[in-house]
Amino acid sequence: MGDTLQHLGEGFGVALAPINLLLGLIGSFIGTVVGMLPGLGPINGVAILMPLAFALKLPPESALILLTAVYIGCEFGGRISSILINVPGDAGAIMTAVDGYPMAVKGQAGVALSISAWSSFIGSFVAFIGIVLAAPLLARWALAFGPAEYFALMCFAFACITGLMGDAPMKAVLAAVLGLALSTVGLDSNSGVYRFTAGSVHLSDGIQFVVVVIGLFSVSEVLLMLEQHLVQAPPIRAIGRNLFNRAEMALTWWGTVRSSVLGFVVGVLPGAGATIASAMAYTMEKRLCDTEGTFGKGDIRGVAAPEAANNASANGSFVPMLTLGVPGSGTTAVMVGALSLYNITPGPALFTQQPTLVWGLIASMAVCNVLLLIMNIPMIGLFTRMLALPNWILVPGILAISAVGVYAIHATTFDLVLMVVLGIVGYLLRKAGVPMAPLILGFVLGDMMEQNLRRALSITNGELGILWESPISIGLWVGVATMLLLPPVYRRLSRRRAAAAAA
Amino acid sequence: MADRILGLLALALAITMAWMAQSYQAEFSYEPVGPRAFPLLLAAVLAVAGMWLAVRPGRAADATVWRPAPALLMVMAAMVVFALLFQTLGFVLATTLMALPVGRSFGGRPLPSLAAGVGLGLGLYFLFDKLFDVILPTGVLAFILGGR
């Protein structure tokens, strides 16, 4: 514990260094704006800034602090457009619109905005404590992981993301496999065989991570925005009272704390993300507190809970990324890609080899949270005015910056064309209801998954038994089965109960 | 219907992958699992997922009909042209050229859209190339922007 506190102190030293503090401030601001703009979410923000941070030759810890600030900022910003125009700024803020927009319609937009900023802060703060307590332990435990355990762990990550996806688990499987398949393109380093390159030199190195992320997220988003740009609810003009009062804070307090803890736990599960956490927290609060049927009609508790969970989960998803090298969300998957640009492989060894990097990152999460709270309560007027930025300026800007990011890595036309092609394919897939988060997780984990499988089987000369030999891997396989079987069973049970109640 | 098409496409991709992966064989190897096993495993899972979707499509997704709107095709074309000419024309001109049709599709009037393109092109060029040292292509404007 004393060790942890000492490391954390050094981490704050890194996070509070002038350049990193400035980057945290810039990142928090950009994040809030990107999160707020409908259509653009944390993945887009981080994906667009990642190659730029690399091209600016920022040192790795500074680049990570910038990206972290953008990520957390997005989770703060997503609620603004949820509340004001009933269009969630990012997926994690979907549940916030359910009660946030009705509050705004009743003239309580200011209260909804400020209480959600406060509960976002609490959510992140709870997660920060959780990270400080849990991450070093988990990292130490993870050192016992061999290739077989890693393979099982990655299967667990995919089980989490497909099992919790809800309506279309088969499509999530499809997405994950597509991502894994994309990762196999290029030279197989073990055998020297070129796979799926179709003889193209541009593909012999594999597909660039940046190209995949920007194509699938930014470019496809532009096409989705085009479809939706005509259907938007009229924006709320009057904000009303700006700050929540003490009674409102007391009313939401326990729900906020409960949801924060829930959000953190969901965030730590590899694969499951903020969208799932906020939906679960909202459902939980509705079940516990909705005695008068006010949820969905502008109940302040329905605004606080999902925001707390959303932010707690976003912060919590750093735990598996840092300790196991297996990202907990789509955005942390992108950050693993960012680290790989610096030739850094996240995992348990990172805590011993690069403690300043890890603890600087963790400390900067706390710093950015304070910055975001300060930014999000008094400066809300400035952000709301930015919602008026017209799409005919915004969209060409997104495309131009995306192209700069992709071009900065290798300076080839091929990558730009591939970005657009992946964007169009991504758009069609998203139209067909295929989720993108499992795809990007598959792409990030693909190489690691295959390498670990091959390494494990090399140990036993091809005997499959090694994959479920140790207690850790057995535990993980049980987790896989639970994650895959529980949601459909639960759904069937609740359907039967609903039918019984109706009869 | 959309789900059935998606499923069949996934199945076709799986077959292509499996067919391509057939030939991936290491010359000599120290490990029991070669470069072929993992792609084949993926192809198998993909085929199962594809067949599942083709046989049991979700009801909700079938309600969405995909209409190829002209604006959509226009933006797609503009993006492809942007990518292809990015290096030849240079960042500033390519961005200007892309911003006009894209801006128009998003409800901008012609002149403001063009102006936005010029502003974005020049603004981002100076921001990234001059200030941040991210090298961007100058293309045909090399003689003005000081080409490298």
Side-chain angles (χ1 to χ4, degrees):
Chain A
M1 197 63 223
D3 225 26
T4 300
L5 284 180
Q6 190 201 334
H7 282 311
L8 189 61
E10 283 164 23
F12 273 104
V14 174
L16 293 171
I19 172 76
N20 293 340
L21 195 59
L22 180 70
L23 286 170
L25 192 66
I26 296 173
S28 299
F29 183 81
I30 297 178
T32 308
V33 174
V34 169
M36 178 182 74
L37 295 169
L40 294 182
I43 300 191
N44 307 65
V46 173
I48 295 176
L49 278 180
M50 170 182 63
L52 297 178
F54 186 67
L56 296 179
K57 300 180 187 71
L58 292 178
E61 67 275 7
S62 301
L64 266 185
I65 286 173
L66 175 71
L67 298 182
T68 307
V70 172
Y71 182 17
I72 304 179
C74 281
E75 303 297 340
F76 261 82
R79 71 191 213 289
I80 300 175
S81 44
S82 273
I83 291 168
L84 289 176
I85 59 175
N86 203 18
V87 178
D90 75 297
I94 291 171
M95 299 314 290
T96 311
V98 178
D99 277 286
Y101 186 66
M103 273 186 85
V105 171
K106 286 193 280 183
Q108 298 174 330
V111 175
L113 284 168
S114 56
I115 197 85
S116 56
W118 170 248
S119 57
S120 295
F121 174 77
I122 296 293
S124 304
F125 186 75
V126 167
F128 171 72
I129 309 251
I131 293 170
V132 172
L133 294 178
L137 289 177
L138 202 59
R140 214 166 303 145
W141 179 61
L143 285 172
F145 275 42
E149 284 79 11
Y150 264 108
F151 181 73
L153 176 70
M154 283 177 239
C155 291
F156 179 61
F158 286 115
C160 286
I161 209 165
T162 50
L164 295 173
M165 219 63 199
D167 47 341
M170 253 317 142
K171 287 182 185 168
V173 172
L174 184 89
V177 177
L178 284 179
L180 289 167
L182 274 180
S183 80
T184 61
V185 175
L187 181 71
D188 171 39
S189 52
N190 291 14
S191 63
V193 171
Y194 287 99
R195 300 191 291 190
F196 303 119
T197 55
S200 161
V201 279
H202 293 291
L203 289 175
S204 59
D205 254 357
I207 300 177
Q208 287 299 309
F209 178 76
V210 172
V211 178
V212 175
V213 178
I214 292 195
L216 288 183
F217 287 94
S218 302
V219 176
S220 73
E221 195 66 58
V222 162
L223 296 168
L224 285 175
M225 281 169 88
L226 181 60
E227 281 189 351
Q228 290 166 353
H229 96 281
L230 290 175
V231 277
Q232 268 193 11
I236 301 291
R237 292 268 170 247
I239 298 275
R241 180 158 51 95
N242 264 327
L243 198 62
F244 55 89
N245 56 32
R246 199 173 296 173
E248 282 157 346
M249 185 164 137
L251 182 64
T252 55
W253 176 248
W254 284 112
T256 300
V257 173
R258 263 195 305 267
S259 304
S260 304
V261 175
L262 174 80
F264 176 69
V265 173
V266 174
V268 169
L269 288 182
T275 318
I276 294 159
S278 59
M280 282 171 73
Y282 185 86
T283 322
M284 176 177 80
E285 281 312 296
K286 191 173 150 79
R287 241 179 237 160
L288 288 176
C289 306
D290 190 17
T291 44
E292 281 133 40
T294 47
F295 271 62
K297 293 171 191 151
D299 193 304
I300 191 167
R301 291 168 297 184
V303 178
E307 270 309 310
N310 168 14
N311 284 270
S313 147
N315 284 275
S317 64
F318 279 90
V319 172
M321 171 194 141
L322 288 173
T323 58
L324 302 166
V326 173
S329 67
T331 315
T332 40
V334 178
M335 294 180 95
V336 171
L339 281 169
S340 73
L341 289 178
Y342 288 96
N343 284 323
I344 297 173
T345 315
L350 205 59
F351 274 79
T352 44
Q353 283 166 3
Q354 307 233 22
T356 39
L357 178 90
V358 174
W359 289 100
L361 173 66
I362 294 174
S364 78
M365 292 162 80
V367 173
C368 291
N369 247 310
V370 175
L371 292 175
L372 278 162
L373 184 70
I374 296 172
M375 223 182 255
N376 265 276
I377 290 189
M379 283 167 64
I380 198 72
L382 177 70
F383 287 124
T384 50
R385 264 197 297 279
M386 280 186 157
L387 270 179
L389 190 69
N391 278 341
W392 56 267
I393 298 178
L394 181 66
V395 172
I398 294 170
L399 284 175
I401 294 178
S402 299
V404 171
V406 164
Y407 190 80
I409 302 284
H410 270 172
T412 63
T413 302
F414 180 84
D415 281 354
L416 289 169
V417 175
L418 189 60
M419 165 189 91
V420 173
V421 170
L422 283 171
I424 294 172
V425 172
Y427 163 76
L428 294 174
L429 284 175
R430 288 168 83 172
K431 284 290 289 175
V434 178
M436 287 294 113
L439 204 164
I440 211 69
L441 198 68
F443 185 65
V444 167
L445 294 184
D447 188 49
M448 246 203 286
M449 196 167 175
E450 182 180 6
Q451 291 306 328
N452 279 301
L453 177 65
R454 285 163 81 167
R455 224 170 281 153
L457 292 178
S458 290
I459 298 170
T460 58
N461 215 3
E463 195 62 53
L464 284 170
I466 189 171
L467 296 178
W468 45 83
E469 223 156 52
S470 76
I472 296 179
S473 30
I474 293 172
L476 285 165
W477 287 116
V478 171
V480 169
T482 318
M483 278 297 167
L484 290 181
L485 295 178
L486 210 57
V489 170
Y490 176 76
R491 232 170 290 145
R492 194 155 300 169
L493 276 182
S494 56
R495 211 178 299 147
R496 195 169 300 165
R497 204 175 305 145
Chain B
M1 204 53 213
D3 276 14
R4 283 191 203 279
I5 297 173
L6 178 70
L8 290 177
L9 283 176
L11 191 61
L13 180 66
I15 293 169
T16 318
M17 270 172 68
W19 177 71
M20 284 176 85
Q22 275 307 315
S23 61
Y24 300 152
Q25 205 120 40
E27 299 280 315
F28 50 88
S29 170
Y30 307 101
E31 49 164 14
V33 187
R36 190 169 62 176
F38 195 65
L40 283 180
L41 180 71
L42 294 178
V45 180
L46 189 61
V48 171
M51 281 190 280
W52 181 293
L53 284 172
V55 176
R56 294 190 52 184
R59 246 168 292 139
D62 279 5
T64 57
V65 188
W66 189 69
R67 275 175 266 110
L72 219 51
L73 293 176
M74 164 104 108
V75 171
M76 286 183 192
M79 292 191 307
V80 173
V81 172
F82 177 56
L84 284 172
L85 296 182
F86 193 81
Q87 227 165 3
T88 327
L89 286 184
F91 177 74
V92 180
L93 268 190
T95 301
T96 309
L97 203 67
M98 173 271 292
L100 182 62
V102 173
R104 291 283 290 142
S105 307
F106 276 91
R109 281 175 293 119
L111 267 179
S113 295
L114 194 65
V118 174
L120 281 169
L122 284 174
L124 293 175
Y125 177 77
F126 281 103
L127 182 69
F128 286 116
D129 193 285
K130 299 295 178 208
L131 201 62
F132 290 158
D133 222 23
V134 177
I135 295 165
L136 292 173
T138 47
V140 292
L141 293 181
F143 65 99
I144 308 173
L145 299 167
R148 299 181 227 208

